[in-house]
Amino acid sequence: MSGPASVQASRWRISPRLRLLGVYLGLSLLMYLALRDAPLREIWNSLGQLRPWQIGLILLLNATVIVWMSLRWWVIVRAHHPRVPFLPLIGYRLSAFAVSYFTPGPQVGGEPMQVLYLHRNHGVTSARGTAAVIMDKLLETLSGFILLCLGLAATLRLGLLSNYGPVPRVAGLLLAAILLWPLLHLVLLYRSRHPISWVLRRARPVMGTPQWARLIIISEHMASAFTRQRLPWLLAALAFSVMALVGMGLEYFLMASFLNVHLTAAQTVAGLTAGVLAFLLPLPGGLGALEASQVLVLSAFGVPASVAISITLLMRGRDLLNGGLGLLLAGRVLKR
């Protein structure tokens, strides 16, 4: 149906390129607000000592981490759909990362796009695709729990929280307890218990049974069957998740070492954990929180603020590259 309403709607339709430009302009403004009082000359001198092969090595290691994360998801999908190829899933994950990174929230929001890719390009049902994404997200969050536990142990060992009293320790333990949920969820799924479905069924008198709720209930039951019937595949996916976590730690260590900051294993874990926690805040890409977390933690190790921000800018450059590529890929699929 065409008419004045459709013509008016088309006038307000924004092209993907303009949306992408708007995202980067907004991020540039936020980046300026976060760095306007930073020692820019010292930061420039710090970044200027990087050599091309060092930047290339960081990008190569980052690509390896993305591959391992994609392998984790692919193993889960391939357990029921062996004909789904691996390489396209790398692009799908980048698109999902871009949506999560550039929108407010704790690094979530791109998961429906992963389901959409599987359904539209490979004929995977929405329920089966949602079940695969649920399992992938549970394993990803479980890796975050492992990192948080290691980071909390490292900060206690280094005495970083000794000057702030018991409050940070209690907050860290509470956060660890919250992030323990993925492990408990996996155990419950293995024992044929479905906590999300239970909550949705109890909420029926209030909200009824919308289509999205039925989809989640069916998907959770499929994920439960996966944990029991495809346990070797689940363990393989968990192994790739741990490998990605190790790769992230090595990448952070190399970024620091290339800027003449030589961290111990405990310091590396503490710095990486602080950066991951910054992304849990409801800010696009944890903007501002990431910079503050690195300055706070690395300054405790005697690292100048300019160098700490330089490490942050390396992380930002990596994420913007991944996110920009992901947005371009996402724009293509949404046009279809």
Side-chain angles (χ1 to χ4, degrees):
M1 182 177 179
S2 61
S6 62
V7 173
Q8 184 177 4
S10 63
R11 291 177 181 175
W12 291 99
R13 188 173 300 164
I14 303 176
S15 67
R17 292 183 179 180
L18 289 178
R19 287 198 299 266
L20 181 61
L21 178 61
V23 168
Y24 279 114
L25 288 177
L27 285 175
S28 299
L29 176 61
L30 292 174
M31 183 72 75
Y32 165 75
L33 294 176
L35 299 178
R36 58 181 175 178
D37 296 326
L40 297 181
R41 179 173 298 179
E42 290 82 354
I43 294 173
W44 178 259
N45 293 335
S46 179
L47 291 174
Q49 63 184 320
L50 289 174
R51 300 179 179 179
W53 71 267
Q54 293 174 328
I55 298 176
L57 183 58
I58 292 174
L59 293 178
L60 178 61
L61 186 55
N62 175 65
T64 304
V65 171
I66 294 174
V67 167
W68 283 334
M69 289 181 176
S70 303
L71 279 170
R72 178 186 64 208
W73 182 32
W74 181 63
V75 165
I76 297 171
V77 173
R78 189 174 173 80
H80 291 285
H81 297 83
R83 293 186 178 181
V84 174
F86 167 66
L87 289 180
L89 266 65
I90 299 177
Y92 304 164
R93 174 159 289 281
L94 285 174
S95 297
F97 167 78
V99 174
S100 300
Y101 186 82
F102 292 120
T103 54
Q107 288 296 284
V108 293
E111 291 76 18
M113 182 160 289
Q114 293 179 259
V115 178
L116 176 64
Y117 273 121
L118 290 176
H119 177 68
R120 182 175 293 183
N121 296 346
H122 306 286
V124 179
T125 63
S126 298
R128 185 69 70 184
T130 303
V133 171
I134 288 175
M135 292 301 304
D136 179 64
K137 199 64 181 180
L138 283 174
L139 293 179
E140 179 180 340
T141 312
L142 180 58
S143 299
F145 166 72
I146 295 173
L147 177 61
L148 178 61
C149 291
L150 293 175
L152 186 59
T155 53
L156 292 175
R157 179 182 177 184
L158 296 169
L160 296 179
L161 303 179
S162 58
N163 296 329
Y164 300 94
V167 176
R169 301 182 185 182
V170 174
L173 291 175
L174 289 176
L175 186 58
I178 294 173
L179 292 181
L180 182 61
W181 170 251
L183 179 60
L184 297 178
H185 198 170
L186 286 172
V187 173
L188 290 173
L189 290 178
Y190 185 77
R191 297 176 63 86
S192 299
R193 300 289 188 270
H194 314 101
I196 299 179
S197 301
W198 183 86
V199 172
L200 292 176
R201 289 194 177 98
R202 293 301 182 275
R204 280 179 179 176
V206 178
M207 67 176 191
T209 310
Q211 184 176 359
W212 64 264
R214 292 195 298 268
L215 176 63
I216 291 178
I217 291 174
I218 294 172
S219 301
E220 190 178 35
H221 281 72
M222 288 182 174
S224 178
F226 177 86
T227 59
R228 297 189 305 273
Q229 301 170 7
R230 301 282 196 257
L231 185 58
W233 298 80
L234 177 61
L235 295 177
L238 180 59
F240 284 123
S241 192
V242 173
M243 292 170 64
L245 185 61
V246 173
M248 291 169 58
L250 180 57
E251 181 185 23
Y252 184 87
F253 176 82
L254 286 179
M255 286 182 180
S257 63
F258 289 159
L259 295 176
N260 295 322
V261 177
H262 304 290
L263 303 176
T264 65
Q267 291 171 339
T268 300
V269 172
L272 179 62
T273 303
V276 171
L277 291 178
F279 286 106
L280 297 179
L281 298 178
L283 298 168
L287 194 63
L290 178 62
E291 289 76 12
S293 70
Q294 295 306 296
V295 172
L296 179 64
V297 173
L298 293 178
S299 62
F301 306 145
V303 179
S306 59
V307 179
I309 296 178
S310 298
I311 295 176
T312 305
L313 290 178
L314 283 178
M315 300 167 69
R316 287 288 180 205
R318 172 204 64 195
D319 292 341
L320 288 175
L321 179 62
N322 293 335
L325 181 58
L327 283 179
L328 293 177
L329 295 174
R332 289 184 179 181
V333 71
L334 293 177
K335 287 180 180 179
R336 299 176 183 176

